[in-house]
Amino acid sequence: RYTPEQTSEWISRRMEKLGVHSYEELAEIVGIDRGTLSRYFRHERRPSIDVIAPLCEVFKVSPETILIVLGAIDLKP
């Protein structure tokens, strides 16, 4: 399972690769409150189903990848 630190590193690398410069910009693109995104990234809150698709679209990854990165499901061995 990803730790909050690993999630933060993954999000930062992915944002940089995609040219997203801040959580505020990411929140605007995804249409989710910045504070809510931050809670997802710190594993304080699990993402709701309606958030998964926008995050996948922005990060260009599968739903499974987003759920793993956000600590909602375990990595497969």
Side-chain angles (χ1 to χ4, degrees), residues 9-63:
E9 289 172 23
W10 187 94
I11 297 287
S12 294
R13 284 192 313 268
R14 199 73 188 162
M15 285 174 59
E16 184 178 328
K17 181 178 181 177
L18 298 169
V20 178
H21 304 291
S22 67
Y23 281 172
E24 289 80 14
E25 183 180 352
L26 178 63
E28 189 174 311
I29 293 168
V30 176
I32 300 169
D33 176 73
R34 185 207 181 284
T36 300
L37 276 178
S38 183
R39 285 187 285 283
Y40 293 151
F41 298 164
R42 291 191 314 262
H43 299 193
E44 293 175 1
R45 186 172 169 189
R46 290 196 178 206
S48 60
I49 193 72
D50 58 323
V51 170
I52 302 301
L55 287 172
C56 290
E57 197 171 309
V58 169
F59 287 122
K60 301 180 186 335
V61 296
S62 70

CSV table of all heavy atoms in Angstrom, one decimal, residues 9-63:
chain,number,residue,atom,x,y,z
A,9,GLU,N,4.9,12.0,-3.6
A,9,GLU,CA,6.0,12.0,-4.6
A,9,GLU,C,5.4,11.6,-5.9
A,9,GLU,O,5.8,12.3,-6.9
A,9,GLU,CB,7.0,10.9,-4.2
A,9,GLU,CG,7.9,11.3,-3.0
A,9,GLU,CD,8.8,10.2,-2.5
A,9,GLU,OE1,9.1,9.3,-3.3
A,9,GLU,OE2,9.2,10.2,-1.3
A,10,TRP,N,4.5,10.7,-6.0
A,10,TRP,CA,3.9,10.3,-7.3
A,10,TRP,C,3.2,11.4,-7.9
A,10,TRP,O,3.3,11.7,-9.1
A,10,TRP,CB,3.0,9.1,-7.1
A,10,TRP,CG,2.5,8.5,-8.4
A,10,TRP,CD1,3.1,7.4,-9.1
A,10,TRP,CD2,1.3,8.9,-9.1
A,10,TRP,NE1,2.3,7.2,-10.2
A,10,TRP,CE2,1.2,8.1,-10.2
A,10,TRP,CE3,0.4,9.9,-8.9
A,10,TRP,CZ2,0.2,8.2,-11.1
A,10,TRP,CZ3,-0.7,10.0,-9.8
A,10,TRP,CH2,-0.8,9.1,-10.9
A,11,ILE,N,2.3,12.1,-7.0
A,11,ILE,CA,1.5,13.2,-7.5
A,11,ILE,C,2.4,14.3,-8.0
A,11,ILE,O,2.1,14.9,-9.1
A,11,ILE,CB,0.6,13.7,-6.4
A,11,ILE,CG1,-0.4,12.7,-5.9
A,11,ILE,CG2,-0.1,15.0,-6.8
A,11,ILE,CD1,-1.5,12.4,-6.9
A,12,SER,N,3.4,14.7,-7.3
A,12,SER,CA,4.4,15.7,-7.7
A,12,SER,C,5.0,15.4,-9.0
A,12,SER,O,5.1,16.3,-9.9
A,12,SER,CB,5.4,16.0,-6.7
A,12,SER,OG,4.8,16.5,-5.5
A,13,ARG,N,5.5,14.2,-9.2
A,13,ARG,CA,6.2,13.8,-10.5
A,13,ARG,C,5.2,13.8,-11.6
A,13,ARG,O,5.5,14.3,-12.7
A,13,ARG,CB,6.8,12.4,-10.3
A,13,ARG,CG,8.1,12.3,-9.6
A,13,ARG,CD,8.8,11.0,-9.7
A,13,ARG,NE,7.9,9.9,-9.6
A,13,ARG,CZ,7.7,9.2,-8.4
A,13,ARG,NH1,8.3,9.6,-7.3
A,13,ARG,NH2,6.9,8.1,-8.4
A,14,ARG,N,4.0,13.3,-11.4
A,14,ARG,CA,3.0,13.3,-12.4
A,14,ARG,C,2.5,14.7,-12.8
A,14,ARG,O,2.4,15.0,-14.0
A,14,ARG,CB,1.8,12.5,-11.9
A,14,ARG,CG,0.9,12.0,-13.0
A,14,ARG,CD,1.6,10.8,-13.8
A,14,ARG,NE,0.8,10.5,-14.9
A,14,ARG,CZ,1.2,9.8,-15.9
A,14,ARG,NH1,2.4,9.4,-16.0
A,14,ARG,NH2,0.4,9.6,-16.9
A,15,MET,N,2.3,15.6,-11.8
A,15,MET,CA,1.9,16.9,-12.1
A,15,MET,C,3.0,17.6,-12.9
A,15,MET,O,2.7,18.3,-13.9
A,15,MET,CB,1.7,17.7,-10.8
A,15,MET,CG,0.4,17.3,-10.2
A,15,MET,SD,0.1,18.1,-8.5
A,15,MET,CE,0.2,19.8,-8.9
A,16,GLU,N,4.3,17.4,-12.6
A,16,GLU,CA,5.4,18.0,-13.3
A,16,GLU,C,5.4,17.5,-14.7
A,16,GLU,O,5.5,18.3,-15.7
A,16,GLU,CB,6.7,17.7,-12.6
A,16,GLU,CG,7.9,18.4,-13.2
A,16,GLU,CD,9.2,18.1,-12.5
A,16,GLU,OE1,9.1,17.9,-11.3
A,16,GLU,OE2,10.2,18.0,-13.2
A,17,LYS,N,5.2,16.2,-14.9
A,17,LYS,CA,5.3,15.7,-16.2
A,17,LYS,C,4.1,16.2,-17.1
A,17,LYS,O,4.3,16.4,-18.3
A,17,LYS,CB,5.1,14.1,-16.1
A,17,LYS,CG,5.2,13.4,-17.5
A,17,LYS,CD,5.1,11.9,-17.3
A,17,LYS,CE,5.1,11.2,-18.6
A,17,LYS,NZ,5.2,9.8,-18.5
A,18,LEU,N,3.0,16.5,-16.5
A,18,LEU,CA,1.8,16.9,-17.2
A,18,LEU,C,1.7,18.5,-17.3
A,18,LEU,O,0.8,19.0,-17.9
A,18,LEU,CB,0.5,16.3,-16.6
A,18,LEU,CG,0.5,14.8,-16.7
A,18,LEU,CD1,-0.7,14.3,-15.8
A,18,LEU,CD2,0.3,14.3,-18.1
A,19,GLY,N,2.7,19.2,-16.7
A,19,GLY,CA,2.7,20.6,-16.8
A,19,GLY,C,1.6,21.3,-15.9
A,19,GLY,O,1.2,22.4,-16.1
A,20,VAL,N,1.2,20.6,-14.8
A,20,VAL,CA,0.3,21.2,-13.8
A,20,VAL,C,1.2,21.7,-12.7
A,20,VAL,O,2.0,20.9,-12.1
A,20,VAL,CB,-0.7,20.1,-13.3
A,20,VAL,CG1,-1.6,20.7,-12.2
A,20,VAL,CG2,-1.5,19.5,-14.4
A,21,HIS,N,1.1,23.0,-12.4
A,21,HIS,CA,2.1,23.6,-11.5
A,21,HIS,C,1.7,23.8,-10.0
A,21,HIS,O,2.6,24.1,-9.2
A,21,HIS,CB,2.4,25.0,-12.1
A,21,HIS,CG,2.9,24.9,-13.5
A,21,HIS,ND1,4.1,24.4,-13.8
A,21,HIS,CD2,2.3,25.3,-14.7
A,21,HIS,CE1,4.3,24.4,-15.2
A,21,HIS,NE2,3.2,24.9,-15.7
A,22,SER,N,0.5,23.5,-9.7
A,22,SER,CA,0.1,23.7,-8.3
A,22,SER,C,-1.2,22.8,-8.0
A,22,SER,O,-1.9,22.4,-8.9
A,22,SER,CB,-0.2,25.1,-7.9
A,22,SER,OG,-1.4,25.6,-8.6
A,23,TYR,N,-1.4,22.6,-6.7
A,23,TYR,CA,-2.6,21.9,-6.3
A,23,TYR,C,-3.9,22.7,-6.7
A,23,TYR,O,-4.9,22.2,-7.0
A,23,TYR,CB,-2.6,21.6,-4.8
A,23,TYR,CG,-1.8,20.4,-4.4
A,23,TYR,CD1,-1.6,20.1,-3.1
A,23,TYR,CD2,-1.2,19.5,-5.3
A,23,TYR,CE1,-0.8,19.0,-2.7
A,23,TYR,CE2,-0.5,18.4,-5.0
A,23,TYR,CZ,-0.3,18.1,-3.6
A,23,TYR,OH,0.4,17.1,-3.3
A,24,GLU,N,-3.7,24.0,-6.6
A,24,GLU,CA,-4.8,24.9,-7.0
A,24,GLU,C,-5.2,24.7,-8.4
A,24,GLU,O,-6.4,24.6,-8.8
A,24,GLU,CB,-4.5,26.4,-6.7
A,24,GLU,CG,-4.4,26.8,-5.3
A,24,GLU,CD,-3.1,26.4,-4.6
A,24,GLU,OE1,-2.1,26.0,-5.3
A,24,GLU,OE2,-3.1,26.4,-3.3
A,25,GLU,N,-4.2,24.6,-9.3
A,25,GLU,CA,-4.4,24.4,-10.7
A,25,GLU,C,-5.0,23.0,-10.9
A,25,GLU,O,-6.0,22.8,-11.7
A,25,GLU,CB,-3.1,24.5,-11.5
A,25,GLU,CG,-3.3,24.4,-13.0
A,25,GLU,CD,-1.9,24.5,-13.7
A,25,GLU,OE1,-0.9,24.9,-13.1
A,25,GLU,OE2,-2.0,24.2,-14.9
A,26,LEU,N,-4.5,22.0,-10.2
A,26,LEU,CA,-5.0,20.7,-10.3
A,26,LEU,C,-6.5,20.6,-9.9
A,26,LEU,O,-7.3,20.0,-10.6
A,26,LEU,CB,-4.2,19.7,-9.5
A,26,LEU,CG,-4.7,18.2,-9.5
A,26,LEU,CD1,-4.6,17.6,-10.9
A,26,LEU,CD2,-3.8,17.4,-8.5
A,27,ALA,N,-6.8,21.3,-8.8
A,27,ALA,CA,-8.2,21.3,-8.3
A,27,ALA,C,-9.1,21.9,-9.3
A,27,ALA,O,-10.2,21.4,-9.5
A,27,ALA,CB,-8.2,22.1,-6.9
A,28,GLU,N,-8.7,23.0,-9.9
A,28,GLU,CA,-9.5,23.7,-10.9
A,28,GLU,C,-9.7,22.7,-12.1
A,28,GLU,O,-10.8,22.6,-12.6
A,28,GLU,CB,-8.8,24.9,-11.4
A,28,GLU,CG,-9.7,25.8,-12.3
A,28,GLU,CD,-9.0,27.1,-12.6
A,28,GLU,OE1,-8.5,27.8,-11.6
A,28,GLU,OE2,-9.0,27.5,-13.8
A,29,ILE,N,-8.7,22.1,-12.6
A,29,ILE,CA,-8.8,21.2,-13.7
A,29,ILE,C,-9.7,20.0,-13.4
A,29,ILE,O,-10.6,19.7,-14.3
A,29,ILE,CB,-7.4,20.6,-14.1
A,29,ILE,CG1,-6.5,21.7,-14.7
A,29,ILE,CG2,-7.5,19.5,-15.2
A,29,ILE,CD1,-5.1,21.4,-14.8
A,30,VAL,N,-9.6,19.4,-12.3
A,30,VAL,CA,-10.4,18.3,-11.9
A,30,VAL,C,-11.8,18.7,-11.4
A,30,VAL,O,-12.7,17.9,-11.6
A,30,VAL,CB,-9.7,17.5,-10.8
A,30,VAL,CG1,-10.5,16.3,-10.3
A,30,VAL,CG2,-8.3,17.0,-11.2
A,31,GLY,N,-11.9,19.9,-11.0
A,31,GLY,CA,-13.2,20.3,-10.5
A,31,GLY,C,-13.5,19.9,-9.1
A,31,GLY,O,-14.7,19.6,-8.7
A,32,ILE,N,-12.5,19.7,-8.3
A,32,ILE,CA,-12.6,19.3,-6.9
A,32,ILE,C,-11.9,20.3,-6.0
A,32,ILE,O,-10.9,20.9,-6.4
A,32,ILE,CB,-11.9,17.9,-6.7
A,32,ILE,CG1,-12.5,16.9,-7.6
A,32,ILE,CG2,-11.9,17.5,-5.2
A,32,ILE,CD1,-11.7,15.6,-7.6
A,33,ASP,N,-12.5,20.6,-4.8
A,33,ASP,CA,-11.9,21.5,-3.9
A,33,ASP,C,-10.5,21.1,-3.5
A,33,ASP,O,-10.2,19.9,-3.3
A,33,ASP,CB,-12.8,21.5,-2.6
A,33,ASP,CG,-12.3,22.4,-1.5
A,33,ASP,OD1,-12.3,23.6,-1.7
A,33,ASP,OD2,-11.8,21.8,-0.5
A,34,ARG,N,-9.6,22.1,-3.4
A,34,ARG,CA,-8.2,21.9,-3.2
A,34,ARG,C,-8.0,21.1,-1.8
A,34,ARG,O,-7.2,20.2,-1.7
A,34,ARG,CB,-7.4,23.2,-3.2
A,34,ARG,CG,-5.9,22.9,-3.0
A,34,ARG,CD,-5.3,24.1,-2.3
A,34,ARG,NE,-3.8,24.0,-2.2
A,34,ARG,CZ,-3.2,23.2,-1.3
A,34,ARG,NH1,-4.0,22.5,-0.4
A,34,ARG,NH2,-2.0,23.1,-1.2
A,35,GLY,N,-8.8,21.5,-0.8
A,35,GLY,CA,-8.7,20.9,0.5
A,35,GLY,C,-9.1,19.4,0.4
A,35,GLY,O,-8.5,18.6,1.1
A,36,THR,N,-10.1,19.1,-0.4
A,36,THR,CA,-10.5,17.7,-0.5
A,36,THR,C,-9.4,16.9,-1.2
A,36,THR,O,-9.1,15.8,-0.8
A,36,THR,CB,-11.8,17.6,-1.3
A,36,THR,OG1,-12.8,18.4,-0.6
A,36,THR,CG2,-12.3,16.2,-1.5
A,37,LEU,N,-8.8,17.5,-2.3
A,37,LEU,CA,-7.7,16.8,-3.0
A,37,LEU,C,-6.6,16.5,-2.0
A,37,LEU,O,-6.0,15.4,-1.9
A,37,LEU,CB,-7.2,17.7,-4.1
A,37,LEU,CG,-7.9,17.6,-5.4
A,37,LEU,CD1,-7.2,18.5,-6.4
A,37,LEU,CD2,-7.9,16.2,-6.0
A,38,SER,N,-6.3,17.5,-1.2
A,38,SER,CA,-5.2,17.4,-0.2
A,38,SER,C,-5.5,16.2,0.8
A,38,SER,O,-4.6,15.5,1.1
A,38,SER,CB,-5.0,18.7,0.5
A,38,SER,OG,-3.9,18.6,1.4
A,39,ARG,N,-6.7,16.1,1.2
A,39,ARG,CA,-7.1,15.0,2.1
A,39,ARG,C,-7.0,13.7,1.4
A,39,ARG,O,-6.5,12.7,2.1
A,39,ARG,CB,-8.5,15.3,2.7
A,39,ARG,CG,-8.5,16.4,3.8
A,39,ARG,CD,-9.9,16.5,4.5
A,39,ARG,NE,-10.9,17.1,3.6
A,39,ARG,CZ,-11.0,18.4,3.4
A,39,ARG,NH1,-10.1,19.2,3.9
A,39,ARG,NH2,-12.0,18.9,2.6
A,40,TYR,N,-7.3,13.6,0.2
A,40,TYR,CA,-7.1,12.4,-0.6
A,40,TYR,C,-5.6,12.0,-0.6
A,40,TYR,O,-5.2,10.9,-0.4
A,40,TYR,CB,-7.6,12.5,-2.0
A,40,TYR,CG,-9.1,12.6,-2.2
A,40,TYR,CD1,-9.6,13.3,-3.3
A,40,TYR,CD2,-10.0,12.1,-1.3
A,40,TYR,CE1,-11.0,13.4,-3.5
A,40,TYR,CE2,-11.4,12.2,-1.4
A,40,TYR,CZ,-11.9,12.9,-2.6
A,40,TYR,OH,-13.2,13.1,-2.8
A,41,PHE,N,-4.8,13.0,-0.9
A,41,PHE,CA,-3.4,12.8,-1.1
A,41,PHE,C,-2.7,12.4,0.2
A,41,PHE,O,-1.7,11.7,0.2
A,41,PHE,CB,-2.7,14.0,-1.7
A,41,PHE,CG,-3.2,14.4,-3.1
A,41,PHE,CD1,-2.9,15.6,-3.6
A,41,PHE,CD2,-3.9,13.5,-3.9
A,41,PHE,CE1,-3.4,16.0,-4.9
A,41,PHE,CE2,-4.4,13.8,-5.1
A,41,PHE,CZ,-4.1,15.1,-5.7
A,42,ARG,N,-3.2,12.9,1.3
A,42,ARG,CA,-2.6,12.6,2.6
A,42,ARG,C,-3.3,11.3,3.2
A,42,ARG,O,-3.0,10.9,4.4
A,42,ARG,CB,-2.8,13.7,3.6
A,42,ARG,CG,-2.0,14.9,3.2
A,42,ARG,CD,-2.0,16.0,4.4
A,42,ARG,NE,-3.3,16.3,4.9
A,42,ARG,CZ,-4.0,17.3,4.6
A,42,ARG,NH1,-3.7,18.2,3.7
A,42,ARG,NH2,-5.2,17.5,5.2
A,43,HIS,N,-4.2,10.6,2.5
A,43,HIS,CA,-4.9,9.4,2.9
A,43,HIS,C,-5.8,9.7,4.1
A,43,HIS,O,-6.1,8.7,4.8
A,43,HIS,CB,-3.9,8.3,3.2
A,43,HIS,CG,-3.0,7.9,2.1
A,43,HIS,ND1,-2.3,6.7,2.1
A,43,HIS,CD2,-2.8,8.4,0.9
A,43,HIS,CE1,-1.6,6.6,0.9
A,43,HIS,NE2,-1.9,7.6,0.2
A,44,GLU,N,-6.2,10.9,4.3
A,44,GLU,CA,-7.1,11.2,5.4
A,44,GLU,C,-8.6,10.9,4.9
A,44,GLU,O,-9.5,10.9,5.8
A,44,GLU,CB,-7.0,12.7,5.8
A,44,GLU,CG,-5.7,13.0,6.4
A,44,GLU,CD,-5.5,14.4,6.7
A,44,GLU,OE1,-6.4,15.3,6.4
A,44,GLU,OE2,-4.4,14.8,7.2
A,45,ARG,N,-8.8,10.8,3.7
A,45,ARG,CA,-10.1,10.6,3.1
A,45,ARG,C,-10.0,9.7,1.9
A,45,ARG,O,-9.1,9.9,1.1
A,45,ARG,CB,-10.8,11.9,2.8
A,45,ARG,CG,-12.2,11.8,2.4
A,45,ARG,CD,-12.7,13.2,2.3
A,45,ARG,NE,-14.0,13.2,1.6
A,45,ARG,CZ,-14.7,14.2,1.2
A,45,ARG,NH1,-14.2,15.4,1.4
A,45,ARG,NH2,-15.8,14.1,0.6
A,46,ARG,N,-10.9,8.8,1.7
A,46,ARG,CA,-10.9,7.9,0.5
A,46,ARG,C,-11.7,8.7,-0.6
A,46,ARG,O,-12.7,9.3,-0.3
A,46,ARG,CB,-11.4,6.6,0.7
A,46,ARG,CG,-10.5,5.8,1.6
A,46,ARG,CD,-10.8,4.3,1.6
A,46,ARG,NE,-9.8,3.7,2.4
A,46,ARG,CZ,-9.5,2.4,2.2
A,46,ARG,NH1,-10.0,1.7,1.3
A,46,ARG,NH2,-8.6,1.9,3.0
A,47,PRO,N,-11.2,8.6,-1.9
A,47,PRO,CA,-11.9,9.3,-2.9
A,47,PRO,C,-13.3,8.6,-3.2
A,47,PRO,O,-13.4,7.4,-3.2
A,47,PRO,CB,-11.0,9.1,-4.1
A,47,PRO,CG,-10.2,7.9,-3.8
A,47,PRO,CD,-10.1,7.9,-2.3
A,48,SER,N,-14.3,9.5,-3.4
A,48,SER,CA,-15.6,9.0,-3.8
A,48,SER,C,-15.6,8.6,-5.3
A,48,SER,O,-14.7,9.0,-6.0
A,48,SER,CB,-16.7,10.1,-3.6
A,48,SER,OG,-16.4,11.2,-4.4
A,49,ILE,N,-16.5,7.8,-5.6
A,49,ILE,CA,-16.5,7.2,-7.0
A,49,ILE,C,-16.6,8.2,-8.1
A,49,ILE,O,-16.0,8.1,-9.1
A,49,ILE,CB,-17.7,6.2,-7.1
A,49,ILE,CG1,-17.6,5.3,-8.4
A,49,ILE,CG2,-19.0,6.9,-7.1
A,49,ILE,CD1,-16.5,4.3,-8.3
A,50,ASP,N,-17.3,9.4,-7.8
A,50,ASP,CA,-17.4,10.4,-8.8
A,50,ASP,C,-16.1,11.2,-9.0
A,50,ASP,O,-16.0,12.0,-10.0
A,50,ASP,CB,-18.5,11.3,-8.5
A,50,ASP,CG,-18.4,12.0,-7.2
A,50,ASP,OD1,-18.0,11.4,-6.2
A,50,ASP,OD2,-18.8,13.2,-7.1
A,51,VAL,N,-15.1,11.0,-8.2
A,51,VAL,CA,-13.8,11.7,-8.3
A,51,VAL,C,-12.8,10.9,-9.1
A,51,VAL,O,-11.9,11.5,-9.7
A,51,VAL,CB,-13.3,11.9,-6.8
A,51,VAL,CG1,-11.9,12.4,-6.9
A,51,VAL,CG2,-14.2,12.9,-6.1
A,52,ILE,N,-13.0,9.6,-9.1
A,52,ILE,CA,-12.0,8.7,-9.8
A,52,ILE,C,-11.8,9.0,-11.3
A,52,ILE,O,-10.7,9.2,-11.7
A,52,ILE,CB,-12.4,7.2,-9.6
A,52,ILE,CG1,-12.5,6.9,-8.1
A,52,ILE,CG2,-11.4,6.3,-10.3
A,52,ILE,CD1,-11.3,7.1,-7.3
A,53,ALA,N,-12.9,9.2,-12.0
A,53,ALA,CA,-12.8,9.4,-13.4
A,53,ALA,C,-12.1,10.7,-13.8
A,53,ALA,O,-11.2,10.7,-14.6
A,53,ALA,CB,-14.2,9.4,-14.1
A,54,PRO,N,-12.4,11.8,-13.1
A,54,PRO,CA,-11.7,13.1,-13.4
A,54,PRO,C,-10.2,13.0,-13.1
A,54,PRO,O,-9.4,13.5,-13.8
A,54,PRO,CB,-12.4,14.1,-12.5
A,54,PRO,CG,-13.7,13.6,-12.2
A,54,PRO,CD,-13.6,12.1,-12.2
A,55,LEU,N,-9.9,12.3,-12.0
A,55,LEU,CA,-8.5,12.2,-11.6
A,55,LEU,C,-7.7,11.3,-12.7
A,55,LEU,O,-6.6,11.6,-13.1
A,55,LEU,CB,-8.3,11.6,-10.2
A,55,LEU,CG,-8.6,12.5,-9.1
A,55,LEU,CD1,-8.6,11.7,-7.8
A,55,LEU,CD2,-7.6,13.6,-9.0
A,56,CYS,N,-8.4,10.2,-13.1
A,56,CYS,CA,-7.8,9.4,-14.1
A,56,CYS,C,-7.6,10.1,-15.4
A,56,CYS,O,-6.5,10.0,-16.1
A,56,CYS,CB,-8.7,8.2,-14.4
A,56,CYS,SG,-8.8,7.0,-13.1
A,57,GLU,N,-8.5,11.0,-15.8
A,57,GLU,CA,-8.4,11.7,-17.0
A,57,GLU,C,-7.3,12.7,-16.9
A,57,GLU,O,-6.5,12.8,-17.9
A,57,GLU,CB,-9.8,12.5,-17.2
A,57,GLU,CG,-9.9,13.0,-18.6
A,57,GLU,CD,-11.3,13.5,-18.8
A,57,GLU,OE1,-12.3,12.8,-18.5
A,57,GLU,OE2,-11.4,14.7,-19.3
A,58,VAL,N,-7.2,13.4,-15.8
A,58,VAL,CA,-6.1,14.4,-15.7
A,58,VAL,C,-4.7,13.8,-15.6
A,58,VAL,O,-3.8,14.2,-16.3
A,58,VAL,CB,-6.3,15.3,-14.4
A,58,VAL,CG1,-5.1,16.1,-14.1
A,58,VAL,CG2,-7.5,16.2,-14.6
A,59,PHE,N,-4.6,12.7,-14.8
A,59,PHE,CA,-3.3,12.0,-14.7
A,59,PHE,C,-3.0,11.0,-15.8
A,59,PHE,O,-1.9,10.5,-15.8
A,59,PHE,CB,-3.2,11.4,-13.3
A,59,PHE,CG,-3.0,12.3,-12.2
A,59,PHE,CD1,-3.9,12.3,-11.1
A,59,PHE,CD2,-2.0,13.2,-12.1
A,59,PHE,CE1,-3.8,13.2,-10.1
A,59,PHE,CE2,-1.8,14.1,-11.1
A,59,PHE,CZ,-2.7,14.1,-10.1
A,60,LYS,N,-4.0,10.7,-16.6
A,60,LYS,CA,-3.8,9.8,-17.7
A,60,LYS,C,-3.4,8.4,-17.2
A,60,LYS,O,-2.4,7.8,-17.7
A,60,LYS,CB,-2.8,10.4,-18.8
A,60,LYS,CG,-3.3,11.7,-19.3
A,60,LYS,CD,-2.3,12.2,-20.4
A,60,LYS,CE,-2.6,13.6,-20.9
A,60,LYS,NZ,-3.9,14.1,-20.9
A,61,VAL,N,-4.1,7.9,-16.2
A,61,VAL,CA,-3.9,6.6,-15.7
A,61,VAL,C,-5.2,5.9,-15.5
A,61,VAL,O,-6.3,6.5,-15.6
A,61,VAL,CB,-3.1,6.7,-14.3
A,61,VAL,CG1,-1.7,7.3,-14.5
A,61,VAL,CG2,-3.9,7.4,-13.3
A,62,SER,N,-5.1,4.6,-15.2
A,62,SER,CA,-6.3,3.8,-14.9
A,62,SER,C,-6.9,4.0,-13.5
A,62,SER,O,-6.2,4.5,-12.6
A,62,SER,CB,-5.9,2.3,-15.0
A,62,SER,OG,-5.1,1.9,-13.9
A,63,PRO,N,-8.2,3.7,-13.4
A,63,PRO,CA,-8.8,3.8,-12.0
A,63,PRO,C,-8.0,3.0,-11.0
A,63,PRO,O,-7.8,3.4,-9.9
A,63,PRO,CB,-10.2,3.2,-12.2
A,63,PRO,CG,-10.5,3.5,-13.7
A,63,PRO,CD,-9.2,3.3,-14.4
